[in-house]
Amino acid sequence: MGAVLAVVLAAAGCSSTGGKRAEERAAEAAEGRAAVNTPRWTFAMVTHSGDGDTFWDIVQKGAEQAAVKDNINFLYSHNDEGNQQAQLVQTAIDKKVDGLIVSLAKPDAMKAVVAKAVKAGIPVVTVNSGSAESKEFGALTHIGQDESIAGEAVGDELNERGRKKALCVLHEQGNVGHEQRCAGAKKTFDGTMQNLYVDGTNMPDVTASIEAKLQSDKSIDAVVTLGAPFADAAVQAKQTAGSKAEINTFDLNAKVATGLQTEKLGFAVDQQPYLQGYQAVDLLWLYRSNLNVLGGGQPVLTGPQIITAADADALADYTKRGTR
């Protein structure tokens, strides 16, 4: 019976009607037309991104493309200050949006306003930061990577590469996810790891701070930055300091892919930001249209994935178009 059912399902999946409709929907989404006929709901995404952060550009692109497919009016806003981000969420509540996506890098500042959204009947999905707080705050689910697990993966990779002394560069004060990354790396790394706090809003200061640390301690043989834009600053600092440290980073973009190809970078940790944005919008649409929820009370993980020079060629085209 099972074999017969499998054949029937396979035949149905390969039918000309089903295949044609799937092709039509893909074409509609590519042309900027909705692939569904559900109501035009409004979803707002409010993140802790600072200005010029390419990571969040990729998240936003994924969300926007899902919004086109799902016939969603998509609103995006951001602020790297917790209190300002909370005010942006309040603005979305006042607009009576139909769904809300938020990051929880600074959960204490966001707890009360997320509770207001839930009380107002607005379904909430959290992304990127705040997996530990998401369920407690009343969100449907969390989409992203477990930052501690991602950090542990970095520690393991550094061990495999024979590194002995590493520097973990934190570019945003108060970001709990960043602290978890460095703590996770320190947990599994067999060598010694130091944290270096820098002002991520001032790239020359980031470069100078890393340079000074590498000049003062020539035994540092690995640097780990926590965002793609900061990897380039670390590469410059290494060159100026005359250091032999390997530069590694969290997150991926076109510059990082090129850095991996040219071996200016050792490895990158990809958490697939495009997928975080796309799935957040898609899951809210599924909830509004069919009361679907993913995760079973656990985060929906999009990473970590360790990317090296061996992977960079295959990913280069995707990073150039801004989806990886």
Side-chain angles (χ1 to χ4, degrees), residues 175-197:
N175 186 319
V176 293
H178 289 184
E179 296 287 349
Q180 290 167 348
R181 289 178 183 181
C182 291
K186 189 173 184 178
K187 178 181 176 181
T188 56
F189 184 41
D190 293 335
T192 59
M193 177 167 287
Q194 300 177 356
N195 287 356
L196 176 66
Y197 292 89

Side-chain angles (χ1 to χ4, degrees), residues 288-310:
R288 294 292 318 204
S289 63
N290 205 43
L291 284 182
N292 290 122
V293 178
L294 282 183
Q298 299 298 318
V300 178
L301 299 182
T302 62
Q305 179 184 10
I306 300 294
I307 305 295
T308 67

Side-chain angles (χ1 to χ4, degrees), residues 16-308:
S16 59
T17 302
K20 183 178 180 181
R21 184 58 189 140
E23 291 175 5
E24 289 173 351
R25 287 182 175 177
E28 288 167 355
E31 293 170 8
R33 291 186 287 140
V36 298
N37 59 3
T38 46
R40 188 163 175 78
W41 293 306
T42 295
F43 295 167
M45 174 182 276
V46 184
T47 75
H48 66 276
S49 170
D51 292 331
D53 192 330
T54 57
F55 176 91
W56 288 103
D57 292 342
I58 301 171
V59 175
Q60 186 178 350
K61 180 168 286 189
E64 288 172 343
Q65 292 190 4
V68 169
K69 176 182 71 71
D70 294 338
N71 192 32
I72 298 301
N73 177 35
F74 179 71
L75 308 176
Y76 180 78
S77 59
H78 65 93
N79 198 293
D80 58 0
E81 293 294 333
N83 291 334
Q84 294 297 317
Q85 186 190 1
Q87 288 183 20
L88 291 173
V89 173
Q90 183 61 58
T91 298
I93 295 171
D94 294 340
K95 290 180 179 178
K96 299 182 179 179
V97 297
D98 302 295
L100 180 63
I101 303 161
V102 297
S103 60
L104 301 177
K106 295 165 183 174
D108 290 344
M110 297 291 289
K111 184 175 183 178
V113 76
V114 171
K116 283 184 182 180
V118 173
K119 187 176 181 180
I122 301 172
V124 178
V125 168
T126 60
V127 295
N128 181 258
S129 303
S131 60
E133 294 82 10
S134 178
K135 186 175 181 180
E136 176 193 347
F137 287 12
L140 299 175
T141 193
H142 177 82
I143 303 170
Q145 70 180 3
D146 184 298
E147 302 292 18
S148 296
I149 292 174
E152 290 170 14
V154 167
D156 290 337
E157 185 68 19
L158 291 173
N159 291 336
E160 288 188 17
R161 292 166 176 266
R163 302 299 161 179
K164 302 300 181 185
K165 191 169 187 179
L167 190 67
C168 196
V169 183
L170 299 93
H171 62 266
E172 185 179 340
Q173 293 278 358
N175 186 319
V176 293
H178 289 184
E179 296 287 349
Q180 290 167 348
R181 289 178 183 181
C182 291
K186 189 173 184 178
K187 178 181 176 181
T188 56
F189 184 41
D190 293 335
T192 59
M193 177 167 287
Q194 300 177 356
N195 287 356
L196 176 66
Y197 292 89
V198 298
D199 179 5
T201 64
N202 185 342
M203 201 61 76
D205 177 73
V206 173
T207 304
S209 297
I210 298 173
E211 179 187 331
K213 191 67 178 178
L214 292 177
Q215 283 179 334
S216 66
D217 190 348
K218 297 295 184 180
S219 66
I220 295 173
D221 58 8
V223 176
V224 179
T225 62
L226 302 187
F230 304 96
D232 192 49
V235 169
Q236 293 179 41
K238 169 186 172 176
Q239 293 171 343
T240 307
S243 170
K244 295 183 179 180
E246 179 183 78
I247 308 300
N248 308 294
T249 189
F250 279 78
D251 303 332
L252 186 68
N253 63 13
K255 267 196 171 182
V256 169
T258 300
L260 292 170
Q261 289 174 309
T262 58
E263 298 187 350
K264 288 183 178 180
L265 300 177
F267 66 88
V269 184
D270 186 21
Q271 58 174 306
Q272 302 184 99
Y274 177 89
L275 197 58
Q276 291 179 15
Y278 191 98
Q279 287 296 327
V281 169
D282 216 29
L283 285 181
L284 278 178
W285 174 79
L286 284 165
Y287 181 80
R288 294 292 318 204
S289 63
N290 205 43
L291 284 182
N292 290 122
V293 178
L294 282 183
Q298 299 298 318
V300 178
L301 299 182
T302 62
Q305 179 184 10
I306 300 294
I307 305 295
T308 67

